[in-house]
Amino acid sequence: MSLKEQIDLTKLPKHIAIIMDGNGRWARQQGRNRIFGHTNGVKCVKTTSEACTELGVRYLTLYAFSTENWYRPAAEVSGLMLLLLKTIKAELKTLLKNDIRLRVIGDMSVLPKGVVKELNEAVANTANNKRMDLILALSYSGKQEITNAVKKIVAQVKEGKVEEKDINEDLITNNLYTAGIPDPELLIRTSGEQRVSNFLLWQLAYAEYYFTDVFWPDFKQEELYKAIVEYQNRERRFGKTSEQLVTK
Ligand code: IPE
Ligand code: IPE
Ligand code: MG
């Protein structure tokens, strides 16, 4: 049976989050510069999005650029921004054709104006698409997201819209960038690193983590299927015992 056939479509994760890592090392292995790695990484964004759409995954969140990534060499940062700009322009048609809604999470205010404009247009043009939400984490930091949520809630308290007794997990969830999006059930990180690097700290509280040594530009459809099959073989206990899960 192929890996794809092993996937139980009735038990798909609704939301998959991916830390796309290893572009630089992939490029170095072939004696090329880091941007070459990022350019090839974009191809895997496309194949992974299409594979998720085809399977019926409802939300796909991709970590494309962290707030910490701003501290990389200026040439790499500008190369990444240019690549982002070109990719959004070139792929809008594909998003529309595949009924994919583009969303962005992160601190948009620090992205180059041209990139923000292109992103806003693509987000607006795809806003009514229904098949899958493709969520790009750009200039994203989980700690910053939670800090912002706290500030928003304090402002609501000051305005008298929220009382202390209303402060609960749902209120915090609803003040994150990801408000309205269910938490990811599966987190994938490529390139052999086993850390969360400030990604979706609140939302990943009960996700299954899947690590693979494959570098992101080598993450083909089969790698995605492998991750989903492993996810489906895990027992998600949420604090309970196995026996409780069997008897319900
Ligand atoms: C991931 O690949 C892409 C971004 C963080 C933008 P890296 O650029 O981190 O590649 P490595 O980890 O240096 O190999
Ligand atoms: C995390 O990758 C951010 C993205 C994939 C966009 P990094 O390669 O920047 O992570 P660290 O700093 O090595 O943990
Ligand atoms: Mg890296």
Side-chain angles (χ1 to χ4, degrees), residues 208-241:
E208 294 296 329
Y209 285 36
Y210 174 88
F211 298 107
T212 169
D213 286 339
V214 168
F215 291 138
W216 177 250
D218 285 331
F219 191 86
K220 301 286 143 68
Q221 296 191 356
E222 290 299 298
E223 301 297 332
L224 173 77
Y225 300 151
K226 220 187 277 178
I228 297 176
V229 168
E230 171 158 336
Y231 162 83
Q232 293 187 330
N233 284 319
R234 295 200 191 163
E235 183 177 64
R236 304 189 76 207
R237 288 191 286 278
F238 300 99
K240 296 183 179 171
T241 66

Side-chain angles (χ1 to χ4, degrees), residues 15-243:
H15 185 173
I16 298 179
I18 308 184
I19 303 177
M20 310 181 288
D21 200 7
N23 295 351
R25 280 163 284 166
W26 182 88
R28 195 173 55 206
Q29 267 187 349
Q30 3 212 330
R32 305 294 296 261
N33 65 20
R34 298 180 57 84
I35 294 295
F36 180 73
H38 297 315
T39 307
N40 279 275
V42 170
K43 295 180 191 160
C44 293
V45 169
K46 188 166 173 151
T47 47
T48 302
S49 307
E50 285 180 343
C52 283
T53 317
E54 194 207 314
L55 285 173
V57 173
R58 187 60 190 78
Y59 301 89
L60 173 66
T61 300
L62 301 176
Y63 203 4
F65 195 84
S66 70
T67 52
E68 289 79 12
N69 290 149
W70 289 113
Y71 299 104
R72 290 193 177 191
E76 180 171 351
V77 172
S78 54
L80 276 165
M81 291 302 141
L82 189 62
L83 186 60
L84 182 62
L85 190 76
K86 281 196 210 156
T87 308
I88 304 291
K89 267 193 187 171
E91 295 305 325
L92 180 60
K93 265 195 235 124
T94 320
L95 294 175
L96 291 168
K97 184 185 82 187
N98 292 334
D99 199 14
I100 297 175
R101 174 179 176 187
L102 182 73
R103 302 172 76 163
V104 183
I105 56 172
D107 183 6
M108 291 299 99
S109 71
V110 291
L111 288 171
K113 285 205 179 69
V115 172
V116 176
K117 181 174 168 279
E118 215 57 55
L119 281 169
N120 282 342
E121 278 176 23
V123 166
N125 279 323
T126 60
N128 294 322
N129 289 353
K130 300 260 170 347
R131 197 158 168 207
M132 185 179 81
D133 286 21
L134 174 63
I135 303 148
L136 288 186
L138 283 171
S139 191
Y140 175 87
S141 148
K143 284 194 176 181
Q144 193 179 73
E145 179 181 36
I146 295 168
T147 308
N148 283 342
V150 172
K151 286 187 183 168
K152 282 199 236 168
I153 293 169
V154 169
Q156 291 159 28
V157 171
K158 278 191 181 161
E159 287 169 25
K161 288 183 185 152
V162 165
E163 288 179 41
E164 188 183 340
K165 66 167 177 38
D166 304 324
I167 299 177
N168 55 27
E169 290 185 9
D170 284 345
L171 186 73
I172 295 173
T173 299
N174 292 334
N175 280 282
L176 297 172
Y177 299 134
T178 51
I181 300 169
D183 288 346
E185 296 98 324
L186 171 61
L187 169 78
I188 298 172
R189 183 168 189 153
T190 57
S191 89
E193 306 301 350
Q194 302 194 356
R195 52 180 177 259
V196 77
S197 301
N198 209 356
F199 190 40
L200 302 176
L201 299 178
W202 175 275
Q203 299 88 336
L204 292 174
Y206 250 112
E208 294 296 329
Y209 285 36
Y210 174 88
F211 298 107
T212 169
D213 286 339
V214 168
F215 291 138
W216 177 250
D218 285 331
F219 191 86
K220 301 286 143 68
Q221 296 191 356
E222 290 299 298
E223 301 297 332
L224 173 77
Y225 300 151
K226 220 187 277 178
I228 297 176
V229 168
E230 171 158 336
Y231 162 83
Q232 293 187 330
N233 284 319
R234 295 200 191 163
E235 183 177 64
R236 304 189 76 207
R237 288 191 286 278
F238 300 99
K240 296 183 179 171
T241 66
S242 291
E243 291 72 18

